[in-house]
Amino acid sequence: MNNLEKSILKTLAFFDIFNYPLTLTELWKWLYRSNGQVKLSAIKEALKTSQILKEKVSTIEGFYSLKDREFTCYLRKKNNKLAEGKFRKAIYLAKVFRYIPYVRMIAICNTLAYSNTKDDSDIDLFIIAKKNKMWLARFFTIMVVKMLRARPTEENTKDTFCLSFFIDEDHLNIKSAMLGNNDVYYPYWLGQLMPLYNPDNLYQKFLEDNKWYLEFLPNSYSNHFPKEVKQTFNSKLFSRVVEFVTSPPLLNKWLDDVYRRLQVSIIDSNIKSLVNIDSRVIVNEQMIKI
């Protein structure tokens, strides 16, 4: 096989793990580790003429999948419909989170980011926090989710919110969280982030600071959520009041440390044993990845 044929099969194989066949445009966008950018027409020609790809790739209703995996087309359509309801819930939560002054950007991540979710799936969010206020952002967002009774439990994950990845706005490069140089999932995770709340265009700066992921996905480009939550005058005013009350100027350093120590003390003991051993669980002043 030539390099393009290998990249096409690797890409389809990765998404097949999630029962997610790709359109031609998606296959081009998510093409894995090709030698630089590849034109859409080149992929189309390869699928049409390559004997190897003809033997290993199927197409149905405009979706490409591995041979004998054509049924994933119908799973994808089913999951797309389920995703709509979860998007609405994520939008509602983002409208609440915009009143928290320490939240600078919210993005949907993992499988929901590309509308591929199951009925009992939770909703994963990635949050960029205000400079030096990451622990406060985590504290108040989790408190809101708890008040809404929407945190995942062992018994129930359906439509709950998983807040497991926070970073500081002054430390946007997250390459250190890769699980080694052969971590296939992480570049896709980053490239598929769907910005839900992005009042200061921090998402664009985040991508700029993480250009390394283009080494894996050279055709990838930024995403846009059509119903992105906007900051309002009321939310901006209220968030300033919240910040003054929860982190007043004369006590903010002391209180910030209280918020941090409180959360560290209640992190699950099973997770504590993994903290900072490798990049699976990271807990420091720039990143919380659990």
Side-chain angles (χ1 to χ4, degrees):
M1 286 187 287
N2 61 38
N3 287 330
L4 180 55
E5 290 168 333
K6 289 178 181 178
S7 291
I8 289 172
L9 288 176
K10 286 178 179 180
T11 305
L12 292 175
F14 174 80
F15 282 94
D16 184 70
I17 295 170
F18 308 100
N19 296 320
Y20 196 80
L22 300 174
T23 64
L24 181 62
T25 303
E26 290 168 341
L27 180 54
W28 169 80
K29 178 180 181 180
W30 300 120
L31 190 66
Y32 184 73
R33 275 200 159 170
S34 58
N35 291 332
Q37 291 187 333
V38 176
K39 291 184 178 180
L40 181 66
S41 58
I43 297 176
K44 187 176 182 180
E45 183 66 18
L47 290 166
K48 182 180 178 180
T49 61
S50 168
Q51 189 59 38
I52 291 174
L53 294 181
K54 287 180 181 179
E55 293 172 359
K56 296 181 178 294
V57 177
S58 293
T59 178
I60 180 173
E61 297 188 17
F63 294 104
Y64 292 88
S65 66
L66 298 180
K67 188 72 74 174
D68 299 324
R69 297 284 292 171
E70 296 84 355
F71 68 91
T72 57
C73 164
Y74 305 106
L75 291 177
R76 171 174 173 167
K77 289 182 177 181
K78 175 185 175 182
N79 291 342
N80 281 349
K81 291 180 180 179
L82 291 171
E84 289 303 314
K86 296 182 188 293
F87 279 133
R88 286 194 293 270
K89 288 178 169 52
I91 290 169
Y92 169 77
L93 188 67
K95 287 181 177 179
V96 178
F97 280 178
R98 66 184 171 182
Y99 289 91
I100 300 174
Y102 314 113
V103 173
R104 290 290 314 280
M105 197 276 280
I106 305 169
I108 298 170
C109 58
N110 293 331
T111 53
L112 181 59
Y114 55 102
S115 300
N116 186 40
T117 186
K118 297 178 182 178
D119 184 51
D120 60 351
S121 296
D122 60 9
I123 299 167
D124 295 291
L125 299 179
F126 168 68
I127 295 176
I128 298 179
K130 185 176 180 179
K131 179 182 177 180
N132 298 326
K133 300 293 182 180
M134 186 178 61
W135 287 101
L136 277 77
R138 183 176 185 270
F139 179 86
F140 287 105
T141 53
I142 288 180
M143 185 175 71
V144 168
V145 170
K146 279 189 172 183
M147 290 172 62
L148 295 173
R149 297 184 179 180
R151 285 206 81 186
T153 64
E154 291 185 8
E155 295 77 25
N156 179 49
T157 57
K158 181 179 177 180
D159 295 343
T160 57
F161 292 94
C162 182
L163 310 178
S164 59
F165 205 150
F166 293 77
I167 64 171
D168 183 285
E169 66 173 319
D170 266 14
H171 299 84
L172 296 179
N173 189 318
I174 58 173
K175 188 175 182 179
S176 61
M178 280 190 74
L179 298 175
N181 293 327
N182 293 319
D183 185 349
V184 178
Y185 183 81
Y186 197 50
Y188 277 113
W189 178 91
L190 193 156
Q192 290 162 350
L193 287 174
M194 188 64 68
L196 183 59
Y197 175 65
N198 184 38
D200 301 310
N201 293 317
L202 200 55
Y203 169 65
Q204 286 70 25
K205 188 175 187 304
F206 170 80
L207 289 183
E208 186 68 24
D209 283 13
N210 287 281
K211 277 187 173 180
W212 57 265
Y213 91 100
L214 295 175
E215 299 170 14
F216 300 85
L217 307 171
N219 295 336
S220 182
Y221 52 85
S222 61
N223 299 312
H224 171 69
F225 189 65
K227 297 180 180 179
E228 187 176 300
V229 174
K230 303 296 183 181
Q231 189 177 50
T232 65
F233 174 80
N234 288 338
S235 67
K236 198 170 185 178
L237 179 62
F238 185 83
S239 67
R240 287 180 177 176
V241 175
V242 171
E243 183 170 21
F244 182 81
V245 172
T246 59
S247 186
L250 296 179
L251 297 174
N252 61 354
K253 289 186 177 181
W254 178 78
L255 281 175
D256 291 356
D257 187 56
V258 170
Y259 289 119
R260 182 188 63 79
R261 285 189 284 108
L262 175 63
Q263 291 175 79
V264 169
S265 68
I266 60 177
I267 289 177
D268 186 276
S269 58
N270 292 323
I271 295 176
K272 279 184 178 179
S273 64
L274 298 173
V275 169
N276 298 331
I277 291 179
D278 53 33
S279 55
R280 287 174 295 169
V281 179
I282 299 173
V283 178
N284 55 45
E285 299 310 305
Q286 294 84 44
M287 179 186 299
I288 305 170
K289 175 178 178 280
I290 298 178

